[in-house]
Amino acid sequence: MKNFLLKILSFSAITLIILEVLIRLLMLTNDVPQRDIDENGLQVFQKNQKGFSHGEKWNVNSDGFLGHNDKDNQLLIIGDSFVENIMNPFECRQSSLFKKSGFDVFEIGRSGITFIEALEFYSKYKSKVNPKKTILIIDNFDFNESIQEVKKLSDRTQISLVNNEIIFGKIKGKYLKKILYNYKTLYYTYLKYLKSNKNENPIKVKNIKNSEELINKLITYSSRSYDLNNCLFAFRGKNNFKELFNKLNLEFVELNLKGSQFMYSEKDSHW
């Protein structure tokens, strides 16, 4: 009986090793950069990591971000996964397009950045970057995610408009995620059979009118609390609050992304 159990354990171990090697060789899962909390309480990536996503190589730079980090900068670009752009070739970045036109660029991009967190990044990094212009790439949904009174999201940086207090997001399950992401067989099983069964629904706003009032308050608060004179807000689509933006002299553009022919990956909805 003892020999039988040892054979089963040995066979299982060999099978798992073979599966791990095959999943890595065939790139059946993507490498996920681990996160840290910087000195400002903001979530950045652990510096100088490397990996692959959708077959494309990514590198985290010495400042904890994917993308360019020029030191004598003319442009600072801040945004969520649209700027993070982990699934595309490095040359398929907003910064690459600007650099071809002669600009130096510092990019701050990370999935899940809220509107208020983008402003916190701008506030904390502008003295380091000293940009002539800052472009914040956002959409209307980022406003709701920023407001704790709409829905509390403990892993994202939000503001309580009742107390005018910034609540910094926490990294959930940091060490468990490290094990999950590095053990590819386990991660593949999670993606294939567990995560696919989860319902990842966006925030449902029960009281639309109340939500709009809170967003108006958020935008007004932001214009008074941050120096936004050299900022350009680039909306991925329509700006639902353009009247307030104009009233507060906040510069913005609306990007029409529909019908674009510029696409590097079928799995990437950003382009």
Side-chain angles (χ1 to χ4, degrees), residues 178-215:
K178 186 173 183 178
I179 295 171
L180 177 66
Y181 295 151
N182 285 290
Y183 183 25
K184 299 299 184 181
T185 304
L186 181 62
Y187 187 38
Y188 178 80
T189 304
Y190 168 74
L191 292 174
K192 192 75 174 177
Y193 301 105
L194 298 177
K195 188 177 182 181
S196 60
N197 294 326
K198 291 184 178 182
N199 293 320
E200 297 186 355
N201 297 321
I203 294 176
K204 293 182 179 180
V205 180
K206 295 180 180 180
N207 190 327
I208 301 296
K209 183 177 180 181
N210 183 53
S211 173
E212 289 181 352
E213 291 176 354
L214 289 171
I215 291 174

Coordinates of all heavy atoms in Angstrom, one line a residue, residues 178-215:
K178 N 0.8 36.5 -5.4 CA 2.2 36.2 -5.9 C 2.3 34.7 -6.1 O 2.9 34.3 -7.1 CB 3.2 36.7 -4.8 CG 4.6 36.6 -5.3 CD 5.6 37.2 -4.3 CE 7.0 37.1 -4.8 NZ 8.0 37.8 -3.9
I179 N 1.8 33.9 -5.3 CA 1.8 32.4 -5.4 C 1.0 32.0 -6.7 O 1.5 31.3 -7.5 CB 1.3 31.7 -4.2 CG1 2.2 32.0 -3.0 CG2 1.2 30.2 -4.4 CD1 1.7 31.5 -1.7
L180 N -0.2 32.6 -6.8 CA -1.1 32.3 -7.9 C -0.5 32.6 -9.2 O -0.5 31.8 -10.2 CB -2.4 33.0 -7.7 CG -3.5 32.8 -8.8 CD1 -4.0 31.4 -8.9 CD2 -4.7 33.7 -8.6
Y181 N 0.1 33.8 -9.3 CA 0.6 34.3 -10.6 C 1.9 33.5 -11.0 O 2.2 33.4 -12.2 CB 0.8 35.8 -10.6 CG -0.4 36.6 -10.4 CD1 -0.4 37.9 -9.8 CD2 -1.7 36.2 -10.9 CE1 -1.5 38.6 -9.7 CE2 -2.8 36.9 -10.7 CZ -2.7 38.2 -10.1 OH -3.9 38.9 -10.0
N182 N 2.6 33.1 -10.1 CA 3.9 32.4 -10.4 C 3.8 30.9 -10.6 O 4.6 30.3 -11.2 CB 4.9 32.7 -9.3 CG 5.5 34.1 -9.3 OD1 6.2 34.5 -10.2 ND2 5.1 35.0 -8.4
Y183 N 2.7 30.3 -10.0 CA 2.5 28.9 -10.2 C 1.5 28.8 -11.4 O 0.3 28.9 -11.2 CB 1.9 28.2 -9.0 CG 1.7 26.8 -9.1 CD1 2.4 26.0 -10.0 CD2 0.8 26.1 -8.2 CE1 2.2 24.6 -10.1 CE2 0.6 24.7 -8.3 CZ 1.3 24.0 -9.3 OH 1.1 22.7 -9.4
K184 N 2.0 28.6 -12.6 CA 1.2 28.8 -13.8 C 0.1 27.7 -13.9 O -1.0 28.0 -14.5 CB 2.1 28.7 -15.1 CG 3.2 29.8 -15.1 CD 2.5 31.2 -15.2 CE 3.6 32.3 -15.3 NZ 3.0 33.6 -15.3
T185 N 0.3 26.5 -13.5 CA -0.7 25.5 -13.5 C -1.9 25.9 -12.7 O -3.1 25.8 -13.1 CB -0.2 24.1 -13.0 OG1 1.0 23.8 -13.8 CG2 -1.2 23.1 -13.2
L186 N -1.7 26.4 -11.5 CA -2.7 26.9 -10.6 C -3.4 28.1 -11.2 O -4.7 28.2 -11.2 CB -2.2 27.2 -9.3 CG -3.2 27.7 -8.2 CD1 -4.2 26.6 -7.9 CD2 -2.4 28.1 -6.9
Y187 N -2.7 29.0 -11.8 CA -3.2 30.2 -12.4 C -4.1 29.9 -13.6 O -5.1 30.5 -13.8 CB -2.1 31.2 -12.8 CG -2.5 32.6 -13.2 CD1 -3.6 33.2 -12.7 CD2 -1.9 33.2 -14.3 CE1 -4.1 34.4 -13.1 CE2 -2.3 34.5 -14.7 CZ -3.4 35.1 -14.1 OH -3.8 36.3 -14.5
Y188 N -3.6 29.0 -14.4 CA -4.4 28.5 -15.6 C -5.7 27.9 -15.2 O -6.7 28.2 -15.8 CB -3.5 27.5 -16.4 CG -4.3 27.0 -17.6 CD1 -4.3 27.7 -18.8 CD2 -4.9 25.7 -17.6 CE1 -5.0 27.2 -19.9 CE2 -5.6 25.2 -18.7 CZ -5.6 26.0 -19.9 OH -6.3 25.5 -20.9
T189 N -5.7 27.1 -14.1 CA -6.9 26.5 -13.6 C -7.9 27.5 -13.1 O -9.1 27.5 -13.4 CB -6.6 25.5 -12.5 OG1 -5.6 24.5 -13.0 CG2 -7.8 24.8 -12.0
Y190 N -7.3 28.5 -12.4 CA -8.1 29.6 -11.9 C -8.8 30.4 -13.1 O -10.0 30.7 -13.0 CB -7.3 30.6 -11.1 CG -7.9 31.9 -10.7 CD1 -8.9 32.0 -9.8 CD2 -7.5 33.1 -11.4 CE1 -9.5 33.2 -9.5 CE2 -8.1 34.3 -11.1 CZ -9.1 34.3 -10.1 OH -9.7 35.5 -9.8
L191 N -8.0 30.7 -14.1 CA -8.6 31.5 -15.2 C -9.6 30.7 -16.0 O -10.6 31.2 -16.4 CB -7.5 31.9 -16.1 CG -6.5 33.0 -15.6 CD1 -5.3 33.2 -16.6 CD2 -7.2 34.3 -15.3
K192 N -9.3 29.4 -16.2 CA -10.2 28.5 -17.0 C -11.5 28.1 -16.4 O -12.5 28.1 -17.0 CB -9.4 27.3 -17.4 CG -9.9 26.5 -18.5 CD -9.7 27.1 -19.9 CE -10.2 26.2 -21.0 NZ -10.0 26.9 -22.3
Y193 N -11.4 27.8 -15.1 CA -12.6 27.2 -14.5 C -13.2 28.0 -13.3 O -14.3 27.8 -12.9 CB -12.2 25.8 -14.0 CG -11.7 24.9 -15.1 CD1 -10.4 24.6 -15.2 CD2 -12.6 24.4 -16.0 CE1 -9.9 23.8 -16.2 CE2 -12.1 23.6 -17.0 CZ -10.8 23.3 -17.1 OH -10.3 22.5 -18.1
L194 N -12.4 28.9 -12.8 CA -13.0 29.7 -11.6 C -13.4 31.1 -12.0 O -14.5 31.5 -11.8 CB -12.0 29.7 -10.5 CG -11.6 28.3 -9.9 CD1 -10.5 28.4 -8.8 CD2 -12.8 27.6 -9.4
K195 N -12.4 31.9 -12.5 CA -12.7 33.3 -12.8 C -13.7 33.4 -13.9 O -14.5 34.4 -13.9 CB -11.4 34.0 -13.3 CG -11.5 35.5 -13.4 CD -10.2 36.2 -13.8 CE -10.4 37.7 -13.9 NZ -9.2 38.3 -14.3
S196 N -13.8 32.5 -14.9 CA -14.7 32.6 -16.0 C -16.2 32.4 -15.5 O -17.1 32.9 -16.2 CB -14.4 31.5 -17.0 OG -14.5 30.2 -16.4
N197 N -16.3 31.9 -14.3 CA -17.7 31.7 -13.7 C -18.1 32.8 -12.9 O -19.3 32.9 -12.4 CB -17.7 30.4 -12.9 CG -17.6 29.1 -13.8 OD1 -18.0 29.1 -14.9 ND2 -16.9 28.1 -13.2
K198 N -17.2 33.8 -12.6 CA -17.6 35.0 -11.8 C -18.3 36.0 -12.7 O -18.0 36.2 -13.8 CB -16.3 35.6 -11.2 CG -15.7 34.7 -10.1 CD -14.5 35.5 -9.5 CE -13.9 34.7 -8.4 NZ -12.8 35.4 -7.7
N199 N -19.2 36.7 -12.1 CA -19.9 37.8 -12.7 C -19.3 39.1 -12.3 O -19.4 39.6 -11.2 CB -21.4 37.8 -12.3 CG -22.2 36.6 -12.9 OD1 -21.9 36.2 -14.0 ND2 -23.0 36.1 -12.0
E200 N -18.5 39.7 -13.3 CA -17.8 40.9 -13.0 C -18.6 42.1 -13.6 O -18.3 42.6 -14.7 CB -16.4 40.9 -13.6 CG -15.5 39.8 -12.9 CD -14.1 39.8 -13.4 OE1 -13.8 40.6 -14.3 OE2 -13.2 39.0 -12.9
N201 N -19.6 42.4 -12.9 CA -20.5 43.5 -13.4 C -20.0 44.8 -13.0 O -19.4 45.0 -11.9 CB -21.9 43.3 -12.8 CG -22.5 42.0 -13.3 OD1 -22.4 41.6 -14.4 ND2 -23.2 41.3 -12.4
P202 N -20.2 45.8 -13.8 CA -19.8 47.2 -13.4 C -20.6 47.7 -12.3 O -21.6 47.2 -12.0 CB -20.0 48.0 -14.7 CG -21.0 47.2 -15.5 CD -20.8 45.8 -15.1
I203 N -20.2 48.9 -11.8 CA -21.0 49.5 -10.7 C -22.4 49.9 -11.2 O -22.5 50.5 -12.2 CB -20.2 50.8 -10.2 CG1 -18.9 50.4 -9.5 CG2 -21.1 51.5 -9.2 CD1 -18.1 51.5 -9.1
K204 N -23.3 49.4 -10.4 CA -24.7 49.8 -10.7 C -25.1 51.0 -9.9 O -25.1 50.9 -8.6 CB -25.7 48.6 -10.4 CG -25.4 47.4 -11.4 CD -26.4 46.3 -11.1 CE -26.2 45.1 -12.0 NZ -27.1 44.0 -11.8
V205 N -25.5 52.1 -10.5 CA -25.9 53.3 -9.8 C -27.4 53.3 -9.7 O -28.1 53.4 -10.6 CB -25.4 54.5 -10.6 CG1 -25.8 55.8 -9.8 CG2 -23.9 54.5 -10.8
K206 N -27.8 53.2 -8.4 CA -29.3 53.1 -8.2 C -30.0 54.5 -8.4 O -31.0 54.5 -8.9 CB -29.5 52.6 -6.7 CG -29.0 51.2 -6.5 CD -29.3 50.7 -5.1 CE -28.8 49.3 -4.9 NZ -29.1 48.8 -3.5
N207 N -29.3 55.5 -7.9 CA -29.9 56.8 -7.9 C -29.1 57.7 -8.9 O -28.0 58.2 -8.5 CB -30.0 57.5 -6.6 CG -30.8 58.7 -6.5 OD1 -30.9 59.5 -7.5 ND2 -31.5 59.0 -5.4
I208 N -29.5 57.7 -10.2 CA -28.7 58.4 -11.2 C -28.6 59.9 -10.9 O -27.5 60.5 -11.0 CB -29.3 58.3 -12.6 CG1 -29.4 56.8 -12.9 CG2 -28.6 59.0 -13.6 CD1 -28.1 56.1 -13.1
K209 N -29.7 60.5 -10.4 CA -29.6 62.0 -10.1 C -28.7 62.3 -9.0 O -27.9 63.2 -9.1 CB -31.1 62.4 -9.8 CG -31.1 63.9 -9.5 CD -32.5 64.4 -9.2 CE -32.6 65.9 -8.9 NZ -34.0 66.3 -8.6
N210 N -28.7 61.4 -7.9 CA -27.8 61.6 -6.8 C -26.4 61.4 -7.2 O -25.5 62.1 -6.8 CB -28.2 60.7 -5.7 CG -27.3 60.9 -4.4 OD1 -27.2 62.0 -3.9 ND2 -26.7 59.8 -4.0
S211 N -26.2 60.4 -8.1 CA -24.8 60.2 -8.6 C -24.3 61.4 -9.4 O -23.1 61.7 -9.2 CB -24.8 58.9 -9.5 OG -23.6 58.7 -10.1
E212 N -25.1 62.0 -10.2 CA -24.7 63.1 -11.0 C -24.3 64.3 -10.1 O -23.4 65.0 -10.4 CB -25.8 63.5 -12.0 CG -25.9 62.5 -13.1 CD -27.0 62.9 -14.1 OE1 -27.7 63.9 -13.8 OE2 -27.1 62.2 -15.2
E213 N -25.1 64.5 -9.0 CA -24.8 65.5 -8.1 C -23.5 65.3 -7.4 O -22.7 66.3 -7.2 CB -25.9 65.6 -7.0 CG -27.3 66.1 -7.6 CD -28.4 66.1 -6.6 OE1 -28.2 65.6 -5.5 OE2 -29.5 66.6 -6.9
L214 N -23.2 64.1 -7.1 CA -21.9 63.7 -6.4 C -20.7 63.9 -7.4 O -19.7 64.4 -7.0 CB -21.9 62.3 -5.9 CG -22.8 62.0 -4.7 CD1 -22.9 60.5 -4.4 CD2 -22.3 62.7 -3.5
I215 N -20.9 63.6 -8.6 CA -19.9 63.8 -9.6 C -19.6 65.2 -9.9 O -18.5 65.7 -10.0 CB -20.3 63.1 -11.0 CG1 -20.2 61.5 -10.8 CG2 -19.3 63.5 -12.1 CD1 -20.7 60.8 -12.0

